[in-house]
Amino acid sequence: MKKVVSPCLCTVYTRSGNEATARAFCEIQFENGRLSITGVIGPMPSGNCRGSAGQCVDAIREGRPCDEWTQEMLDKFCSIWDEWHLNDMRPYCKHQKELGWNKLAVTPVTLYHYRLNSKTLRRQESMKKRSWKMLCDGMTAALSDDQIEVAKLPYSLTLPHEISGEAALYYEPQKPLYPGMTGATETKTLGWLHPDEHPDGILGKPCPVCGYQYGHAWQTEEVPQDVIDWLCSLPESPVEPAWV
């Protein structure tokens, strides 16, 4: 199946900042079990467009149904687009979806980044110089258990929670050293975090049923036949777009 539909009219803005209306078009392709949906708002012969293009489902969802389309049809179409577009590129297996991992994957969490504070860095450097001098003088460099623990502290820490306890004596929140560097906190989703990075992270986590590790390959999820039948029944666009 390959068809072009025109579900709605969308609000766009002219170069002068005025509101205008443009027709949206969507191309639906279903071949070899793979569903692909792309859209464009107000395509122009030049190859440009008056609105957004590609995965513009959110913009099209806000449009006003036109021609034979109803609001119910538009909402259902956008929901199908969200759920089934590129169904052959799923990071989860069927069991993980049944367990809700696909929804868990988009859950945002905060990571906390820390660096050794200046006091601890000076202490480490002092121990290093002292030990080197003792070795150069033919002596045995010996550190107390407390000194060894401080010497072994990593320069940076990333935690799924704010630092506490004795560790808070040695670390301070990370400060960006250059543009684009992560600061003291960072937000990521659980689907992009390994369990050793966050206790709830699922990247690489094995399925309890089949053992597939989340995110290690693209899995194909079969599109329900009633979804394909419904998409096939949609009215073709009454207007031929410049491109879609």
Side-chain angles (χ1 to χ4, degrees):
M1 172 184 65
K2 183 176 181 179
K3 66 190 303 181
V4 175
V5 298
S6 180
C8 61
L9 301 175
C10 297
T11 299
V12 295
Y13 293 90
T14 66
R15 291 183 178 180
S16 59
N18 296 322
E19 284 191 5
T21 299
R23 182 179 283 269
F25 298 92
C26 298
E27 182 180 72
I28 306 169
Q29 295 187 63
F30 183 68
E31 298 176 354
N32 300 319
R34 179 181 191 264
L35 178 64
S36 172
I37 303 176
T38 56
V40 59
I41 299 173
M44 302 167 65
S46 64
N48 203 343
C49 57
R50 301 174 66 191
S52 52
Q55 292 305 298
C56 52
V57 58
D58 289 337
I60 288 178
R61 181 180 281 108
E62 297 299 319
R64 177 169 52 84
C66 61
D67 305 320
E68 301 176 57
W69 285 71
T70 65
Q71 186 63 53
E72 182 181 1
M73 290 171 63
L74 180 61
D75 292 342
K76 182 174 181 177
F77 175 67
C78 290
S79 294
I80 290 173
W81 190 346
D82 277 333
E83 184 172 2
W84 295 107
H85 171 66
L86 297 186
N87 60 297
D88 61 340
M89 297 180 69
R90 301 299 200 230
Y92 49 79
C93 67
K94 63 178 183 179
H95 311 111
Q96 290 168 334
K97 183 177 182 180
E98 290 170 358
L99 292 170
W101 288 24
N102 57 318
K103 297 179 180 178
L104 184 63
V106 297
T107 302
V109 294
T110 300
L111 297 178
Y112 299 85
H113 301 289
Y114 294 94
R115 294 287 187 267
L116 287 175
N117 57 38
S118 57
K119 181 180 178 180
T120 305
L121 287 171
R122 288 195 300 268
R123 188 177 175 187
Q124 285 185 336
E125 185 63 24
S126 176
M127 288 189 291
K128 184 188 298 183
K129 289 181 178 179
R130 180 172 175 272
S131 297
W132 179 250
K133 184 177 186 305
M134 292 175 68
L135 291 172
C136 290
D137 291 343
M139 302 170 63
T140 299
L143 298 175
S144 66
D145 291 344
D146 179 63
Q147 289 174 322
I148 291 174
E149 289 302 314
V150 173
K152 290 166 58 178
L153 290 173
Y155 175 69
S156 62
L157 284 179
T158 296
L159 303 173
H161 51 74
E162 292 187 84
I163 202 166
S164 61
E166 187 177 355
L169 300 175
Y170 305 115
Y171 289 92
E172 64 184 9
Q174 173 180 283
K175 297 177 182 178
L177 301 178
Y178 49 83
M181 179 181 177
T182 304
T185 61
E186 178 184 15
T187 299
K188 283 190 173 183
T189 54
L190 294 177
W192 287 100
L193 291 170
H194 289 89
D196 60 353
E197 296 176 295
H198 191 282
D200 296 325
I202 60 174
L203 183 61
K205 186 175 180 179
C207 170
V209 179
C210 66
Y212 166 75
Q213 295 179 318
Y214 181 94
H216 275 216
W218 293 129
Q219 303 292 305
T220 297
E221 183 179 8
E222 184 177 355
V223 181
Q225 187 58 48
D226 63 312
V227 170
I228 299 303
D229 293 342
W230 189 82
L231 292 175
C232 287
S233 70
L234 290 176
E236 296 273 0
S237 171
V239 179
E240 183 177 351
W243 61 272
V244 64

